[in-house]
């Protein structure tokens, strides 16, 4: 029963069926609805009129006015999902998903009449005319597919979407989309495209955070070269950077480019002011500002607000070692004759406080006797009864200049001269004295007293011995015999015939050797300007003969003699040959070096008087002529002494033996030599009746050609012969000396001379050419050979003076020598850093002018080819120093005079021996690309190691570079990899990558890769070790306690792999050895203070006090602690405090106001919310910020309360009958309202919001209906409001569609 006593069975119907004979309006159609597209058909059905019903449906509102006043425009309307609640006869709005079927169109086209100003006739009775026109307008525009959009991806699989356009059906032109019905728009159509894999491209990651917050920092990102196989499967392969052809995007960029605030910037600490004994370290602390460009701006200190860091600190706070403090020497113990001088020594130590203190002498190292006493020599004492004759001591000095040209182990000298020597030579320096005891002779070097050491020996017999000279030995050595003093100056000659500058500090032997070898050929020693004016920018004092350093007096002349201008051209390589001959003692002897060294003694000597005369002569010459005179005088000196040396060695024929009178030597072709007058360890002895064995030497008689007649030319070697039309005979003389007597043979342009009836060899070994022709032109070389070596000299024969160039078609390969000298015309293949000399020997009358070209570009006399390399031209030769790859090219020599020109070329190729590259990113990327998940190792010359698990595979990389590209061969245990038994391997990456697979247990031996090219070889090694993990027991180094009864050595276990500690997880499952702790340091402890824990604070806030107990106790070895006197602990440590302050913070508390009225929002039956204020304050009532009380629990500021106004609840009525007995459209409703509990009257619904609102409608009878046939096609009914509704049954044909019964 319903409320009120009414029976539901007797309730009258509120709806009934009705039929109106006039059909509802429906716009006429040109096409049957079945002929239209599915979406058009569905949209047209939804456009039919609809009214709110008891089942949810879309209800459109009225169309808005047309957007235009004439022509075609658009109209819009609102579509709502609504349902009719039958009980209350009210309409409810529902979510759109509650309504079934398509949503009607909310926009359409409209026609507002013609726009020409004419008013169209309108007949209200013929309303279909205008509506029909609008329907025609709807049919004029429609949606159509027009191709596809561009593929969304260029590769790897993309998507294309079909383009849907609104078209005019008659003109096929595009129209505004508003003219087409939205509901008729075709569905989205997609298709796949560009399914091919993508090419390699750069994948860019996100930028990292900036490294600096200001003042320009850096951001980095990952940029990798990747290959996308399939976008759908997301298959990406990472490749090497070289496989991406586009430039690699930047991986670094600047960020935060703005000025930083000023801040303190401390510099590095300087060295300590003392090495011990307590010093001070200082550093600069500056106020700077880092600017946006990365630079720093120094500011006054007031700009930096932070406290300034300290700028000095203590250092080296430890005692210095004990050392001797020596006093000054006392006066001589006698007034005449021989006496002694003494001085006292005190052993002292500087403490860490900086204070010096005297300590026991046993703490200082032993003091040599010579450091505390030395002899002294005064004038000879007068004998009694005789007049005094004062004869001072005398040193017999030798005023000579010595220059060493060939290496010897030991040389002996007498003081008084100058010696220019080669490194690593042992020197014995004698000081012969008269009227003085030799044991009293003292030696000094550069003013410092010399004592014996491992390198320098001061003998008691008046001589000094220096073992194996090094640069630090250069200097002035002084021998003192009482008041008599004599000096001896030692200078060193480098491997490039340049004097070695004295070092600023002591070097090791390796550094000294490197310094001697690497002296730059461009840097002639110019240590001091001399008064001789050879270098014209000397000072006036120097020109008057007043030198600042007497040790450098003859350096300029000696430097001139060591340069090319002072020696014969054939002897220029003598010094270089010495070094190379020593380094290659086991190799074949260089004939050119031997013939060059033949003419030079071991050590050359000249009198100082001769050099002083040259200096005096030069000082009197005008400034502008001084350099020219110096060259002439030095050359004359070299010529005279060299000839004197040859005569003393019996190398020149006696005047009676000469076949031709002696000839003068022109000034521009000089020869050099010095007489050897030193006693050397080589054992050279002269004066024997039997001549010693000597290598061949051809006498160079540099003179003009002797023209004996108009038709005959006779000349010696070293000149040019110009053939004329009337020349009938040319005679070339070749004189050679040596023991055994050398054999002479002739070559022309490097090939043996073919003798004939026109080309004859005379009995005296001269070569005669009869009736010379053009084919006889060339360079003729006389070769002298005996069992000890050979010598050769060339002469040029040219036709009518036309230039002639001596050529060699050889290919020279050099990988070791520091210098290479070749004739023009061949190919030179050499390593970097070598000095290459290309000789262009030219003959011609008049003298031909030589011009050098590099890759057809002319070269000047001296020019820097690139950084670190340069070339020099000298007498037709080209010197390339420190060659590198940039020096490669074709070097051409062109000789030209009035009669013609000739050009010859030499190709220079630079080789780079195999070596390990400095950058290894390329081969690491190659290893990663070859096997991304395989362990790998890079070989190295010293060897590397890779530890693997059994059954693993590995990649071995052989990093190498060189030119030409080296060939790589792989070995295992010294055997070629191809012959290794049971080894599966593959070689990739042009031989740089070796993959070995399925490695078994145990060591696999040593793998090596041998890289070879023309310049050399390089062997790199790596070992593969397969070893298991195991436990190792190690004992702790320190005891756990220093005393007492608890000290133990706790052994610990380490997990090892090949003696290397690894994570213990690797040894899981391995047998663990048993370990037991070992007792240690079980002894009584010294007395110490013991403290208890602090007591609780006397106050919780506002300042309280804590106390604890402090006692002095001693822990026994048995573990028992006994109290002892406090004095025993006070001697060892300060007594700890037993009282301290605590809880100094303010006493604060939470305070709150009274609760407010209970008038807040309802939160339940009869429940509301009331509030109060909560604040933090001191106990004195001072309000503080809430943070001060954060440590205390905060009282609540809201609480629930009882309110009569909240005595409400939801009241619902009974459900109405279902609107259908079956199907999907049954619906029933009920009334829901918020009422007061006591009055049962409705109240605002928000008072009931604390509980969920019950539903006011629901579906019902949702069961399938039985099949039945309906006769009527349509059913019309009238609602009480006068509306009528027509409902079609879905699923039937238009002609036989049944209508739903509306109850």
């Amino acid at each position: 029963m319903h409320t009120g006593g009414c029976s539901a069975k007797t309730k009258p119907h509120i709806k009934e069926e009705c039929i109106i004979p006039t059909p509802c309006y429906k716009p006429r159609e040109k096409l049957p609805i079945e002929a239209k597209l599915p979406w058009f058909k569905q949209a047209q059905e939804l456009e039919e009129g609809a009214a709110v019903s008891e089942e949810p449906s879309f209800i459109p509102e009225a169309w808005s006015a047309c957007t235009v006043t004439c022509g075609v425009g658009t109209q819009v309307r609102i579509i709502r999902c609504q349902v009719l609640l039958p009980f209350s006869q009210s309409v409810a709005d529902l979510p759109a998903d509650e309504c079934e079927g398509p949503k009607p169109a909310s926009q359409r086209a409209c026609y507002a009449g013609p726009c020409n100003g004419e008013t169209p006739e309108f007949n209200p009775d013929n309303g279909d005319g205008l509506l029909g026109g609008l329907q025609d307008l709807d049919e004029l525009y429609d949606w159509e597919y027009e191709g596809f959009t561009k593929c969304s991806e260029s590769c790897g699989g993309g998507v294309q979407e079909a383009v849907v356009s609104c078209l005019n059906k008659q003109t096929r032109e595009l129209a505004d989309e508003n003219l087409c019905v939205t509901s008729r728009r075709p569905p989205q159509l997609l298709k796949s495209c560009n399914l091919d894999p993508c090419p390699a491209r750069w994948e860019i990651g996100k930028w990292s955070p900036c490294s600096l917050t200001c003042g320009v920092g850096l951001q980095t990102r990952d940029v990798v070269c990747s290959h996308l196989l399939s976008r759908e499967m997301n298959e990406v392969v990472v490749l090497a950077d070289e496989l991406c052809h586009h430039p690699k995007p930047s991986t670094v960029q600047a960020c935060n480019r703005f000025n930083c605030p000023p801040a303190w910037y401390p510099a590095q600490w300087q060295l300590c002011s003392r090495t011990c004994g307590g010093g001070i370290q200082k550093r600069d602390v500056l106020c700077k500002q880092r600017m946006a460009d990365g630079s720093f701006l120094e500011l006054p200190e007031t700009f930096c607000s932070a406290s300034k860091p300290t700028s000095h600190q203590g250092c080296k706070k430890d005692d210095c070692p004990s050392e001797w403090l020596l006093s000054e020497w006392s006066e001589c113990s006698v007034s005449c004759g021989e006496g002694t001088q003494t001085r006292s020594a005190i052993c002292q130590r500087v403490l860490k406080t900086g204070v010096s203190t005297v300590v026991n002498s046993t703490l200082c190292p032993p003091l040599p006797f010579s450091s505390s006493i030395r002899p002294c020599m005064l004038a000879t004492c007068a004998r009694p009864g005789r007049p005094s004759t004062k004869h001072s001591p005398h040193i017999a000095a030798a005023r000579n200049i010595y220059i060493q040209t060939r290496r010897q182990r030991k040389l002996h000298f007498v003081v008084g001269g100058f010696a220019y020597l080669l490194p690593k030579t042992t020197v014995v320096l004698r000081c012969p004295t008269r009227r003085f005891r030799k044991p009293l002779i003292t030696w000094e070097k550069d003013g410092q007293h010399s004592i014996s050491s491992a390198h320098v020996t001061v003998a008691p017999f008046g001589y000094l011995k220096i073992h194996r000279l090094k640069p630090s030995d250069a200097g002035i050595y002084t021998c003192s015999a009482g008041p008599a003093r004599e000096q001896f100056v030692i200078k060193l000659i480098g491997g490039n015939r340049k004097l070695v500058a004295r070092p600023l500090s002591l070097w090791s032997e390796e550094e000294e050797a490197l310094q001697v070898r690497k002296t730059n050929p461009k840097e002639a020693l110019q240590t001091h300007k001399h008064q001789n004016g050879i270098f014209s920018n000397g000072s006036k004092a120097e020109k008057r003969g007043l030198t600042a350093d007497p040790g450098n007096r003859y350096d300029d002349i000696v430097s001139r003699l060591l340069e090319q201008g002072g020696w014969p051209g054939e002897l220029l390589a003598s010094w270089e040959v010495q070094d190379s001959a020593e380094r290659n003692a086991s190799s074949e002897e260089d004939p050119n070096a031997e013939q060059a060294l033949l003419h030079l003694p071991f050590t050359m000597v000249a009198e100082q008087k001769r050099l002083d005369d040259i200096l005096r002569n030069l000082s009197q010459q005008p400034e502008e002529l001084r350099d020219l005179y110096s060259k002439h005088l030095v050359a004359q000196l070299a010529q005279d002494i060299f000839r004197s040396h040859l005569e003393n060695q019996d190398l020149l024929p006696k005047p009676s033996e000469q076949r031709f009178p002696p000839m003068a030597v022109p000034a521009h072709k000089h020869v050099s030599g010095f007489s050897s007058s030193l006693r050397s360890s080589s054992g050279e002895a002269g004066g024997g009746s039997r001549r010693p064995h000597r290598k061949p030497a051809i006498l160079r008689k540099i003179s003009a050609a002797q023209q004996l007649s108009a038709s005959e030319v006779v000349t010696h070697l070293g000149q040019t012969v110009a053939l004329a039309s009337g020349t009938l005979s040319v005679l070339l003389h070749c004189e050679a000396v040596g023991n055994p007597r050398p054999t002479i043979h002739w070559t022309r342009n490097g090939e043996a001379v073919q003798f004939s009836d026109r080309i004859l060899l005379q009995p005296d070994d001269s070569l005669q050419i009869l009736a010379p022709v053009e084919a006889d032109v060339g360079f003729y070389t006389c070769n002298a050979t005996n069992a000890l070596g050979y010598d050769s000299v060339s002469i040029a024969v040219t036709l009518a003076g036309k230039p002639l160039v001596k050529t060699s078609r050889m290919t020279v390969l050099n990988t070791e020598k520091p210098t290479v000298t070749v004739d023009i015309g061949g190919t030179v293949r050499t390593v970097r850093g070598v000095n290459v000399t290309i000789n262009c020997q030219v003959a011609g009358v008049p003298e031909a002018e030589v011009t050098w070209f590099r890759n057809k570009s002319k070269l000047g006399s001296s020019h820097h080819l690139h950084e670190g390399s340069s070339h020099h031209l000298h007498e037709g030769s080209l010197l390339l120093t420190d060659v590198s790859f940039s020096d490669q090219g074709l070097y051409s020599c062109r000789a030209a005079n009035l009669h013609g020109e000739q050009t010859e070329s030499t190709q220079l190729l630079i080789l780079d021996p195999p070596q390990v590259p400095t950058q290894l990113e390329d081969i690491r990327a190659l290893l990663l690309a070859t096997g991304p998940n395989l362990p790998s190792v890079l070989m190295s010359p010293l060897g590397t190691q890779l530890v693997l698990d059994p059954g693993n595979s590995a990649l071995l990389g052989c990093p190498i570079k060189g030119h030409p590209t080296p060939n790589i061969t792989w070995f295992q245990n010294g055997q070629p990899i191809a012959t290794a038994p049971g080894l599966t391997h593959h070689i990739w990456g042009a031989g740089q990558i070796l993959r070995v697979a399925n490695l078994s247990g145990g060591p696999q031996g040593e793998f090596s890769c041998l890289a070879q090219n023309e310049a050399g070889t390089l062997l790199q090694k790596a070992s593969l070790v397969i070893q298991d993990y195991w436990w190792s027991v190690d004992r702790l180094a320190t005891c756990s306690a220093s005393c007492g009864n608890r000290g133990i050595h706790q052994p610990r276990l380490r997990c090892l792999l090949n003696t290397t500690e690894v994570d213990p997880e690797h040894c899981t499952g391995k047998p663990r050895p048993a370990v037991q702790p070992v007792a240690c340091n079980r002894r009584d402890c010294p007395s110490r203070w013991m403290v208890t824990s602090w007591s609780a604070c006397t106050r919780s806030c506002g300042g309280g006090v804590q106390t604890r107990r402090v006692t002095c106790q001693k822990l026994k070895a048995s573990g028992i602690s006994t109290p002892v006197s406090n004095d025993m602990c006070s001697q060892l440590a300060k007594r700890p405090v037993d009282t301290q302050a605590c809880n100094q913070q303010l006493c604060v508390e939470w305070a709150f106001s009274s609760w407010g009225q209970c008038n807040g929002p309802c939160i339940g039956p009869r429940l509301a919310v009331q509030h109060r204020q909560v604040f933090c304050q001191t106990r004195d009532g001072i309000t503080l910020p809430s943070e001060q009380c954060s440590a205390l629990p905060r009282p609540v500021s809201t609480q629930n309360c009882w309110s009569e106004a909240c005595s409400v609840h939801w009241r619902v009525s009974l459900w109405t009958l279902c609107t259908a007995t079956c199907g999907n459209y049954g619906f029933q409703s009920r009334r829901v309202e918020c009422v007061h509990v006591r009055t049962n009257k409705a109240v605002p619904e928000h008072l009931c919001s604390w509980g969920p609102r019950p539903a006011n409608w629901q579906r019902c009878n949702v069961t399938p209906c039985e099949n039945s046939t309906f006769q009527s096609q349509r059913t019309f009914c009238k609602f009480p409001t006068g509306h009528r509704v027509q409902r079609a049954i879905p699923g039937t044909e238009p002609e036989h569609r049944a209508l739903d019964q509306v109850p």
Side-chain angles (χ1 to χ4, degrees), residues 497-517:
R497 307 183 305 282
K498 302 294 181 183
L499 300 187
V500 177
R502 293 179 59 186
L504 298 178
S505 61
L506 295 180
W507 295 329
S508 65
E509 287 193 11
E510 291 79 4
E511 292 171 331
E512 292 161 1
L514 186 64
Q515 171 68 13
V516 172
R517 289 196 301 268

Side-chain angles (χ1 to χ4, degrees), residues 463-478:
Y463 71 85
L464 179 118
K465 183 177 182 180
I466 305 174
H467 302 271
R468 294 178 64 85
L469 282 176
K470 54 185 179 180
S472 59
D473 294 326
I476 301 176
Y477 292 81
T478 304

Side-chain angles (χ1 to χ4, degrees), residues 978-991:
T979 62
L983 183 67
T984 304
H985 71 280
H986 300 280
I987 298 178
W988 293 323

